[in-house]
mmCIF file of all heavy atoms in Angstrom:
data_model
loop_
_atom_site.group_PDB
_atom_site.id
_atom_site.type_symbol
_atom_site.label_atom_id
_atom_site.label_comp_id
_atom_site.label_asym_id
_atom_site.label_seq_id
_atom_site.Cartn_x
_atom_site.Cartn_y
_atom_site.Cartn_z
ATOM 1 N N ASP A 482 138.255 -87.051 42.207
ATOM 2 C CA ASP A 482 137.086 -86.510 42.924
ATOM 3 C C ASP A 482 136.089 -85.878 41.944
ATOM 4 O O ASP A 482 134.870 -86.093 42.025
ATOM 5 C CB ASP A 482 137.546 -85.478 43.949
ATOM 6 C CG ASP A 482 138.288 -86.143 45.112
ATOM 7 O OD1 ASP A 482 138.122 -87.374 45.275
ATOM 8 O OD2 ASP A 482 139.029 -85.440 45.816
ATOM 9 N N LYS A 483 136.667 -85.082 41.001
ATOM 10 C CA LYS A 483 135.775 -84.437 40.024
ATOM 11 C C LYS A 483 135.085 -85.474 39.138
ATOM 12 O O LYS A 483 133.906 -85.339 38.796
ATOM 13 C CB LYS A 483 136.586 -83.460 39.166
ATOM 14 C CG LYS A 483 137.056 -82.238 39.951
ATOM 15 C CD LYS A 483 137.825 -81.268 39.050
ATOM 16 C CE LYS A 483 138.253 -80.044 39.845
ATOM 17 N NZ LYS A 483 139.010 -79.079 39.014
ATOM 18 N N PHE A 484 135.849 -86.506 38.750
ATOM 19 C CA PHE A 484 135.261 -87.563 37.924
ATOM 20 C C PHE A 484 134.124 -88.270 38.661
ATOM 21 O O PHE A 484 133.061 -88.530 38.097
ATOM 22 C CB PHE A 484 136.354 -88.567 37.543
ATOM 23 C CG PHE A 484 135.873 -89.668 36.630
ATOM 24 C CD1 PHE A 484 135.686 -89.441 35.271
ATOM 25 C CD2 PHE A 484 135.588 -90.928 37.141
ATOM 26 C CE1 PHE A 484 135.247 -90.465 34.450
ATOM 27 C CE2 PHE A 484 135.152 -91.946 36.332
ATOM 28 C CZ PHE A 484 134.977 -91.714 34.958
ATOM 29 N N LYS A 485 134.369 -88.543 39.948
ATOM 30 C CA LYS A 485 133.317 -89.192 40.742
ATOM 31 C C LYS A 485 132.089 -88.289 40.862
ATOM 32 O O LYS A 485 130.947 -88.757 40.770
ATOM 33 C CB LYS A 485 133.849 -89.538 42.124
ATOM 34 C CG LYS A 485 134.836 -90.703 42.123
ATOM 35 C CD LYS A 485 135.345 -90.988 43.519
ATOM 36 C CE LYS A 485 136.310 -92.173 43.504
ATOM 37 N NZ LYS A 485 136.845 -92.452 44.858
ATOM 38 N N LYS A 486 132.382 -86.962 41.078
ATOM 39 C CA LYS A 486 131.252 -86.027 41.172
ATOM 40 C C LYS A 486 130.473 -85.993 39.852
ATOM 41 O O LYS A 486 129.236 -85.970 39.855
ATOM 42 C CB LYS A 486 131.771 -84.641 41.513
ATOM 43 C CG LYS A 486 132.263 -84.509 42.953
ATOM 44 C CD LYS A 486 132.772 -83.105 43.228
ATOM 45 C CE LYS A 486 133.254 -82.992 44.666
ATOM 46 N NZ LYS A 486 133.790 -81.644 44.957
ATOM 47 N N ALA A 487 131.230 -85.991 38.701
ATOM 48 C CA ALA A 487 130.551 -85.980 37.408
ATOM 49 C C ALA A 487 129.736 -87.244 37.213
ATOM 50 O O ALA A 487 128.597 -87.199 36.716
ATOM 51 C CB ALA A 487 131.595 -85.842 36.282
ATOM 52 N N ILE A 488 130.334 -88.403 37.627
ATOM 53 C CA ILE A 488 129.603 -89.667 37.509
ATOM 54 C C ILE A 488 128.341 -89.617 38.368
ATOM 55 O O ILE A 488 127.253 -90.057 37.960
ATOM 56 C CB ILE A 488 130.503 -90.849 37.929
ATOM 57 C CG1 ILE A 488 131.670 -91.040 36.923
ATOM 58 C CG2 ILE A 488 129.684 -92.134 38.032
ATOM 59 C CD1 ILE A 488 131.205 -91.408 35.531
ATOM 60 N N ASP A 489 128.497 -89.047 39.583
ATOM 61 C CA ASP A 489 127.336 -88.935 40.468
ATOM 62 C C ASP A 489 126.265 -88.044 39.847
ATOM 63 O O ASP A 489 125.049 -88.363 39.893
ATOM 64 C CB ASP A 489 127.763 -88.359 41.824
ATOM 65 C CG ASP A 489 128.621 -89.333 42.602
ATOM 66 O OD1 ASP A 489 128.569 -90.551 42.307
ATOM 67 O OD2 ASP A 489 129.340 -88.888 43.523
ATOM 68 N N GLU A 490 126.716 -86.919 39.241
ATOM 69 C CA GLU A 490 125.756 -86.020 38.594
ATOM 70 C C GLU A 490 125.070 -86.714 37.435
ATOM 71 O O GLU A 490 123.838 -86.577 37.215
ATOM 72 C CB GLU A 490 126.462 -84.748 38.121
ATOM 73 C CG GLU A 490 126.964 -83.846 39.256
ATOM 74 C CD GLU A 490 125.804 -83.295 40.088
ATOM 75 O OE1 GLU A 490 124.710 -83.079 39.528
ATOM 76 O OE2 GLU A 490 126.014 -83.111 41.304
ATOM 77 N N ILE A 491 125.885 -87.486 36.646
ATOM 78 C CA ILE A 491 125.295 -88.213 35.514
ATOM 79 C C ILE A 491 124.291 -89.235 36.016
ATOM 80 O O ILE A 491 123.194 -89.387 35.445
ATOM 81 C CB ILE A 491 126.408 -88.894 34.693
ATOM 82 C CG1 ILE A 491 127.241 -87.841 33.940
ATOM 83 C CG2 ILE A 491 125.825 -89.883 33.701
ATOM 84 C CD1 ILE A 491 128.467 -88.396 33.256
ATOM 85 N N ASP A 492 124.698 -89.938 37.137
ATOM 86 C CA ASP A 492 123.753 -90.909 37.704
ATOM 87 C C ASP A 492 122.473 -90.221 38.182
ATOM 88 O O ASP A 492 121.358 -90.733 37.965
ATOM 89 C CB ASP A 492 124.430 -91.635 38.879
ATOM 90 C CG ASP A 492 125.502 -92.591 38.409
ATOM 91 O OD1 ASP A 492 125.469 -92.984 37.230
ATOM 92 O OD2 ASP A 492 126.388 -92.947 39.231
ATOM 93 N N LYS A 493 122.633 -89.037 38.781
ATOM 94 C CA LYS A 493 121.454 -88.295 39.234
ATOM 95 C C LYS A 493 120.591 -87.878 38.032
ATOM 96 O O LYS A 493 119.362 -87.969 38.066
ATOM 97 C CB LYS A 493 121.887 -87.061 40.031
ATOM 98 C CG LYS A 493 122.483 -87.379 41.379
ATOM 99 C CD LYS A 493 122.919 -86.103 42.092
ATOM 100 C CE LYS A 493 123.558 -86.433 43.444
ATOM 101 N NZ LYS A 493 124.021 -85.177 44.136
ATOM 102 N N THR A 494 121.310 -87.405 36.972
ATOM 103 C CA THR A 494 120.581 -86.988 35.754
ATOM 104 C C THR A 494 119.849 -88.178 35.139
ATOM 105 O O THR A 494 118.702 -88.065 34.692
ATOM 106 C CB THR A 494 121.559 -86.383 34.744
ATOM 107 O OG1 THR A 494 122.236 -85.267 35.363
ATOM 108 C CG2 THR A 494 120.846 -85.908 33.507
ATOM 109 N N ILE A 495 120.569 -89.334 35.110
ATOM 110 C CA ILE A 495 119.931 -90.537 34.560
ATOM 111 C C ILE A 495 118.708 -90.904 35.367
ATOM 112 O O ILE A 495 117.636 -91.232 34.825
ATOM 113 C CB ILE A 495 120.944 -91.694 34.505
ATOM 114 C CG1 ILE A 495 122.029 -91.409 33.436
ATOM 115 C CG2 ILE A 495 120.262 -93.021 34.231
ATOM 116 C CD1 ILE A 495 123.167 -92.403 33.436
ATOM 117 N N ASP A 496 118.865 -90.822 36.740
ATOM 118 C CA ASP A 496 117.715 -91.128 37.595
ATOM 119 C C ASP A 496 116.556 -90.142 37.319
ATOM 120 O O ASP A 496 115.372 -90.536 37.231
ATOM 121 C CB ASP A 496 118.114 -91.023 39.065
ATOM 122 C CG ASP A 496 119.039 -92.150 39.462
ATOM 123 O OD1 ASP A 496 119.058 -93.189 38.754
ATOM 124 O OD2 ASP A 496 119.756 -92.019 40.489
ATOM 125 N N HIS A 497 116.913 -88.861 37.147
ATOM 126 C CA HIS A 497 115.886 -87.858 36.877
ATOM 127 C C HIS A 497 115.204 -88.108 35.531
ATOM 128 O O HIS A 497 113.962 -88.058 35.412
ATOM 129 C CB HIS A 497 116.522 -86.463 36.906
ATOM 130 C CG HIS A 497 115.557 -85.351 36.633
ATOM 131 N ND1 HIS A 497 114.541 -84.971 37.495
ATOM 132 C CD2 HIS A 497 115.436 -84.521 35.552
ATOM 133 C CE1 HIS A 497 113.844 -84.001 36.980
ATOM 134 N NE2 HIS A 497 114.369 -83.680 35.786
ATOM 135 N N LEU A 498 116.044 -88.405 34.505
ATOM 136 C CA LEU A 498 115.481 -88.700 33.180
ATOM 137 C C LEU A 498 114.639 -89.946 33.213
ATOM 138 O O LEU A 498 113.609 -90.043 32.532
ATOM 139 C CB LEU A 498 116.627 -88.839 32.158
ATOM 140 C CG LEU A 498 117.380 -87.536 31.815
ATOM 141 C CD1 LEU A 498 118.566 -87.866 30.906
ATOM 142 C CD2 LEU A 498 116.455 -86.538 31.115
ATOM 143 N N GLN A 499 115.118 -90.932 33.997
ATOM 144 C CA GLN A 499 114.346 -92.161 34.100
ATOM 145 C C GLN A 499 112.968 -91.881 34.719
ATOM 146 O O GLN A 499 111.952 -92.384 34.260
ATOM 147 C CB GLN A 499 115.111 -93.188 34.961
ATOM 148 C CG GLN A 499 114.465 -94.554 35.019
ATOM 149 C CD GLN A 499 114.520 -95.285 33.686
ATOM 150 O OE1 GLN A 499 115.437 -95.078 32.887
ATOM 151 N NE2 GLN A 499 113.505 -96.102 33.390
ATOM 152 N N LYS A 500 113.006 -91.051 35.762
ATOM 153 C CA LYS A 500 111.728 -90.673 36.374
ATOM 154 C C LYS A 500 110.844 -89.886 35.398
ATOM 155 O O LYS A 500 109.621 -90.086 35.308
ATOM 156 C CB LYS A 500 111.978 -89.848 37.631
ATOM 157 C CG LYS A 500 112.595 -90.656 38.760
ATOM 158 C CD LYS A 500 112.875 -89.773 39.964
ATOM 159 C CE LYS A 500 113.498 -90.582 41.080
ATOM 160 N NZ LYS A 500 113.813 -89.731 42.259
ATOM 161 N N THR A 501 111.519 -88.977 34.626
ATOM 162 C CA THR A 501 110.775 -88.193 33.637
ATOM 163 C C THR A 501 110.198 -89.106 32.576
ATOM 164 O O THR A 501 109.043 -88.967 32.131
ATOM 165 C CB THR A 501 111.691 -87.147 32.995
ATOM 166 O OG1 THR A 501 112.255 -86.328 34.029
ATOM 167 C CG2 THR A 501 110.936 -86.282 32.001
ATOM 168 N N LYS A 502 111.077 -90.096 32.165
ATOM 169 C CA LYS A 502 110.620 -91.054 31.156
ATOM 170 C C LYS A 502 109.407 -91.839 31.674
ATOM 171 O O LYS A 502 108.409 -92.026 30.962
ATOM 172 C CB LYS A 502 111.756 -92.012 30.828
ATOM 173 C CG LYS A 502 111.399 -93.093 29.838
ATOM 174 C CD LYS A 502 112.577 -94.029 29.610
ATOM 175 C CE LYS A 502 112.186 -95.168 28.679
ATOM 176 N NZ LYS A 502 113.301 -96.109 28.480
ATOM 177 N N GLU A 503 109.535 -92.277 32.936
ATOM 178 C CA GLU A 503 108.407 -93.026 33.513
ATOM 179 C C GLU A 503 107.171 -92.157 33.618
ATOM 180 O O GLU A 503 106.038 -92.607 33.347
ATOM 181 C CB GLU A 503 108.818 -93.535 34.899
ATOM 182 C CG GLU A 503 109.877 -94.629 34.854
ATOM 183 C CD GLU A 503 110.336 -95.033 36.234
ATOM 184 O OE1 GLU A 503 109.880 -94.386 37.209
ATOM 185 O OE2 GLU A 503 111.183 -95.960 36.348
ATOM 186 N N ALA A 504 107.399 -90.872 33.968
ATOM 187 C CA ALA A 504 106.255 -89.950 34.046
ATOM 188 C C ALA A 504 105.615 -89.737 32.679
ATOM 189 O O ALA A 504 104.388 -89.732 32.510
ATOM 190 C CB ALA A 504 106.710 -88.610 34.638
ATOM 191 N N LEU A 505 106.482 -89.583 31.632
ATOM 192 C CA LEU A 505 105.974 -89.405 30.281
ATOM 193 C C LEU A 505 105.233 -90.654 29.800
ATOM 194 O O LEU A 505 104.179 -90.573 29.153
ATOM 195 C CB LEU A 505 107.123 -89.069 29.325
ATOM 196 C CG LEU A 505 107.755 -87.683 29.510
ATOM 197 C CD1 LEU A 505 108.997 -87.537 28.632
ATOM 198 C CD2 LEU A 505 106.739 -86.588 29.185
ATOM 199 N N LEU A 506 105.843 -91.826 30.134
ATOM 200 C CA LEU A 506 105.167 -93.072 29.742
ATOM 201 C C LEU A 506 103.824 -93.179 30.455
ATOM 202 O O LEU A 506 102.817 -93.641 29.860
ATOM 203 C CB LEU A 506 106.060 -94.277 30.095
ATOM 204 C CG LEU A 506 107.336 -94.443 29.249
ATOM 205 C CD1 LEU A 506 108.187 -95.578 29.780
ATOM 206 C CD2 LEU A 506 106.966 -94.706 27.797
ATOM 207 N N GLY A 507 103.817 -92.749 31.734
ATOM 208 C CA GLY A 507 102.542 -92.759 32.450
ATOM 209 C C GLY A 507 101.532 -91.804 31.828
ATOM 210 O O GLY A 507 100.341 -92.113 31.701
ATOM 211 N N SER A 508 102.010 -90.633 31.388
ATOM 212 C CA SER A 508 101.129 -89.654 30.720
ATOM 213 C C SER A 508 100.604 -90.227 29.412
ATOM 214 O O SER A 508 99.442 -90.041 29.039
ATOM 215 C CB SER A 508 101.899 -88.352 30.476
ATOM 216 O OG SER A 508 102.308 -87.805 31.701
ATOM 217 N N GLU A 509 101.536 -90.941 28.676
ATOM 218 C CA GLU A 509 101.116 -91.524 27.396
ATOM 219 C C GLU A 509 100.002 -92.546 27.605
ATOM 220 O O GLU A 509 99.014 -92.583 26.851
ATOM 221 C CB GLU A 509 102.322 -92.200 26.727
ATOM 222 C CG GLU A 509 102.003 -92.791 25.378
ATOM 223 C CD GLU A 509 103.167 -93.553 24.776
ATOM 224 O OE1 GLU A 509 104.213 -93.664 25.485
ATOM 225 O OE2 GLU A 509 103.037 -94.036 23.645
ATOM 226 N N ASN A 510 100.137 -93.331 28.650
ATOM 227 C CA ASN A 510 99.085 -94.328 28.946
ATOM 228 C C ASN A 510 97.760 -93.634 29.273
ATOM 229 O O ASN A 510 96.677 -94.050 28.834
ATOM 230 C CB ASN A 510 99.517 -95.217 30.113
ATOM 231 C CG ASN A 510 100.644 -96.140 29.698
ATOM 232 O OD1 ASN A 510 100.762 -96.502 28.527
ATOM 233 N ND2 ASN A 510 101.475 -96.539 30.679
ATOM 234 N N ASN A 511 97.936 -92.567 30.073
ATOM 235 C CA ASN A 511 96.722 -91.830 30.420
ATOM 236 C C ASN A 511 96.059 -91.214 29.205
ATOM 237 O O ASN A 511 94.819 -91.210 29.046
ATOM 238 C CB ASN A 511 97.048 -90.748 31.460
ATOM 239 C CG ASN A 511 97.426 -91.344 32.806
ATOM 240 O OD1 ASN A 511 96.946 -92.429 33.160
ATOM 241 N ND2 ASN A 511 98.275 -90.658 33.551
ATOM 242 N N LEU A 512 96.912 -90.654 28.287
ATOM 243 C CA LEU A 512 96.371 -90.045 27.057
ATOM 244 C C LEU A 512 95.724 -91.117 26.172
ATOM 245 O O LEU A 512 94.686 -90.899 25.548
ATOM 246 C CB LEU A 512 97.481 -89.328 26.288
ATOM 247 C CG LEU A 512 97.989 -88.019 26.924
ATOM 248 C CD1 LEU A 512 99.201 -87.516 26.172
ATOM 249 C CD2 LEU A 512 96.881 -86.950 26.900
ATOM 250 N N ARG A 513 96.393 -92.292 26.079
ATOM 251 C CA ARG A 513 95.833 -93.369 25.283
ATOM 252 C C ARG A 513 94.491 -93.798 25.830
ATOM 253 O O ARG A 513 93.507 -93.993 25.093
ATOM 254 C CB ARG A 513 96.808 -94.555 25.261
ATOM 255 C CG ARG A 513 96.329 -95.720 24.387
ATOM 256 C CD ARG A 513 97.395 -96.779 24.335
ATOM 257 N NE ARG A 513 97.823 -97.204 25.649
ATOM 258 C CZ ARG A 513 97.095 -98.050 26.424
ATOM 259 N NH1 ARG A 513 95.957 -98.509 26.006
ATOM 260 N NH2 ARG A 513 97.567 -98.381 27.611
ATOM 261 N N LEU A 514 94.411 -93.936 27.156
ATOM 262 C CA LEU A 514 93.130 -94.307 27.772
ATOM 263 C C LEU A 514 92.075 -93.220 27.521
ATOM 264 O O LEU A 514 90.896 -93.510 27.251
ATOM 265 C CB LEU A 514 93.319 -94.519 29.278
ATOM 266 C CG LEU A 514 94.181 -95.735 29.684
ATOM 267 C CD1 LEU A 514 94.446 -95.740 31.184
ATOM 268 C CD2 LEU A 514 93.489 -97.034 29.257
ATOM 269 N N ALA A 515 92.568 -91.980 27.637
ATOM 270 C CA ALA A 515 91.628 -90.869 27.399
ATOM 271 C C ALA A 515 91.133 -90.894 25.946
ATOM 272 O O ALA A 515 89.956 -90.656 25.653
ATOM 273 C CB ALA A 515 92.317 -89.550 27.716
ATOM 274 N N ASN A 516 92.093 -91.167 25.034
ATOM 275 C CA ASN A 516 91.735 -91.226 23.610
ATOM 276 C C ASN A 516 90.756 -92.361 23.366
ATOM 277 O O ASN A 516 89.764 -92.216 22.607
ATOM 278 C CB ASN A 516 92.990 -91.387 22.771
ATOM 279 C CG ASN A 516 92.669 -91.416 21.283
ATOM 280 O OD1 ASN A 516 92.091 -90.462 20.742
ATOM 281 N ND2 ASN A 516 93.023 -92.512 20.623
ATOM 282 N N ASP A 517 91.078 -93.528 23.997
ATOM 283 C CA ASP A 517 90.176 -94.658 23.840
ATOM 284 C C ASP A 517 88.787 -94.317 24.360
ATOM 285 O O ASP A 517 87.754 -94.644 23.747
ATOM 286 C CB ASP A 517 90.732 -95.883 24.566
ATOM 287 C CG ASP A 517 91.988 -96.404 23.912
ATOM 288 O OD1 ASP A 517 92.245 -96.066 22.750
ATOM 289 O OD2 ASP A 517 92.744 -97.168 24.595
ATOM 290 N N LYS A 518 88.790 -93.661 25.473
ATOM 291 C CA LYS A 518 87.491 -93.271 26.033
ATOM 292 C C LYS A 518 86.791 -92.258 25.128
ATOM 293 O O LYS A 518 85.550 -92.281 24.978
ATOM 294 C CB LYS A 518 87.687 -92.691 27.429
ATOM 295 C CG LYS A 518 88.076 -93.740 28.458
ATOM 296 C CD LYS A 518 88.249 -93.129 29.828
ATOM 297 C CE LYS A 518 88.616 -94.207 30.864
ATOM 298 N NZ LYS A 518 88.787 -93.635 32.207
ATOM 299 N N ALA A 519 87.637 -91.341 24.570
ATOM 300 C CA ALA A 519 87.032 -90.338 23.673
ATOM 301 C C ALA A 519 86.477 -90.995 22.426
ATOM 302 O O ALA A 519 85.403 -90.618 21.902
ATOM 303 C CB ALA A 519 88.081 -89.278 23.293
ATOM 304 N N GLN A 520 87.214 -91.992 21.908
ATOM 305 C CA GLN A 520 86.731 -92.700 20.729
ATOM 306 C C GLN A 520 85.465 -93.475 21.051
ATOM 307 O O GLN A 520 84.586 -93.647 20.174
ATOM 308 C CB GLN A 520 87.849 -93.672 20.240
ATOM 309 C CG GLN A 520 89.072 -92.974 19.683
ATOM 310 C CD GLN A 520 88.751 -92.195 18.419
ATOM 311 O OE1 GLN A 520 87.844 -92.553 17.630
ATOM 312 N NE2 GLN A 520 89.465 -91.094 18.227
ATOM 313 N N ASP A 521 85.354 -93.924 22.263
ATOM 314 C CA ASP A 521 84.174 -94.717 22.629
ATOM 315 C C ASP A 521 82.993 -93.847 23.104
ATOM 316 O O ASP A 521 81.959 -94.339 23.486
ATOM 317 C CB ASP A 521 84.581 -95.690 23.730
ATOM 318 C CG ASP A 521 83.555 -96.797 23.950
ATOM 319 O OD1 ASP A 521 82.977 -97.229 22.952
ATOM 320 O OD2 ASP A 521 83.415 -97.226 25.119
ATOM 321 N N LEU A 522 83.236 -92.556 23.101
ATOM 322 C CA LEU A 522 82.194 -91.645 23.581
ATOM 323 C C LEU A 522 81.061 -91.548 22.538
ATOM 324 O O LEU A 522 81.321 -91.384 21.341
ATOM 325 C CB LEU A 522 82.816 -90.255 23.832
ATOM 326 C CG LEU A 522 81.883 -89.230 24.468
ATOM 327 C CD1 LEU A 522 81.423 -89.663 25.856
ATOM 328 C CD2 LEU A 522 82.570 -87.864 24.541
ATOM 329 N N SER A 523 79.758 -91.600 22.996
ATOM 330 C CA SER A 523 78.588 -91.474 22.107
ATOM 331 C C SER A 523 77.461 -90.784 22.871
ATOM 332 O O SER A 523 77.555 -90.630 24.105
ATOM 333 C CB SER A 523 78.133 -92.856 21.596
ATOM 334 O OG SER A 523 77.723 -93.639 22.698
ATOM 335 N N ILE A 524 76.452 -90.358 22.071
ATOM 336 C CA ILE A 524 75.322 -89.663 22.723
ATOM 337 C C ILE A 524 74.643 -90.596 23.693
ATOM 338 O O ILE A 524 74.186 -90.209 24.769
ATOM 339 C CB ILE A 524 74.321 -89.147 21.642
ATOM 340 C CG1 ILE A 524 75.041 -88.074 20.811
ATOM 341 C CG2 ILE A 524 73.063 -88.584 22.287
ATOM 342 C CD1 ILE A 524 74.208 -87.598 19.639
ATOM 343 N N LYS A 525 74.627 -91.835 23.278
ATOM 344 C CA LYS A 525 73.963 -92.792 24.135
ATOM 345 C C LYS A 525 74.663 -92.882 25.463
ATOM 346 O O LYS A 525 74.015 -92.931 26.513
ATOM 347 C CB LYS A 525 73.904 -94.144 23.431
ATOM 348 C CG LYS A 525 73.134 -95.184 24.207
ATOM 349 C CD LYS A 525 73.088 -96.476 23.402
ATOM 350 C CE LYS A 525 72.283 -97.532 24.154
ATOM 351 N NZ LYS A 525 72.221 -98.799 23.413
ATOM 352 N N ARG A 526 75.998 -92.879 25.399
ATOM 353 C CA ARG A 526 76.778 -92.966 26.650
ATOM 354 C C ARG A 526 76.622 -91.703 27.449
ATOM 355 O O ARG A 526 76.584 -91.730 28.670
ATOM 356 C CB ARG A 526 78.243 -93.226 26.310
ATOM 357 C CG ARG A 526 78.510 -94.664 25.925
ATOM 358 C CD ARG A 526 80.014 -94.825 25.683
ATOM 359 N NE ARG A 526 80.318 -96.212 25.399
ATOM 360 C CZ ARG A 526 80.583 -97.157 26.301
ATOM 361 N NH1 ARG A 526 80.538 -96.857 27.568
ATOM 362 N NH2 ARG A 526 80.867 -98.384 25.924
ATOM 363 N N LEU A 527 76.574 -90.548 26.711
ATOM 364 C CA LEU A 527 76.467 -89.276 27.421
ATOM 365 C C LEU A 527 75.120 -89.127 28.129
ATOM 366 O O LEU A 527 75.025 -88.496 29.173
ATOM 367 C CB LEU A 527 76.681 -88.116 26.458
ATOM 368 C CG LEU A 527 78.130 -87.920 25.937
ATOM 369 C CD1 LEU A 527 78.146 -86.828 24.864
ATOM 370 C CD2 LEU A 527 79.064 -87.574 27.060
#
């Protein structure tokens, strides 16, 4: 029972980390887009 509970907790942790990972990857994409936009920023555009 304890082993199953630990496996369940690990599975939950993995799911949480996976979600965190996906969230971080999503943030990285957003930052990259923001950086790209920042790099493309000019007075003319402003």
Side-chain angles (χ1 to χ4, degrees):
D482 290 341
K483 290 182 179 180
F484 183 78
K485 288 179 179 178
K486 288 180 180 178
I488 294 297
D489 291 340
E490 291 296 328
I491 290 172
D492 289 339
K493 290 179 181 178
T494 302
I495 290 172
D496 290 340
H497 180 69
L498 291 174
Q499 186 68 29
K500 291 178 181 179
T501 304
K502 178 183 176 182
E503 291 175 356
L505 290 173
L506 291 174
S508 299
E509 182 185 4
N510 290 332
N511 291 330
L512 288 172
R513 182 175 54 78
L514 293 173
N516 182 58
D517 292 343
K518 289 181 178 180
Q520 292 295 331
D521 195 36
L522 186 62
S523 62
I524 294 175
K525 185 178 181 180
R526 283 183 176 272
L527 289 174

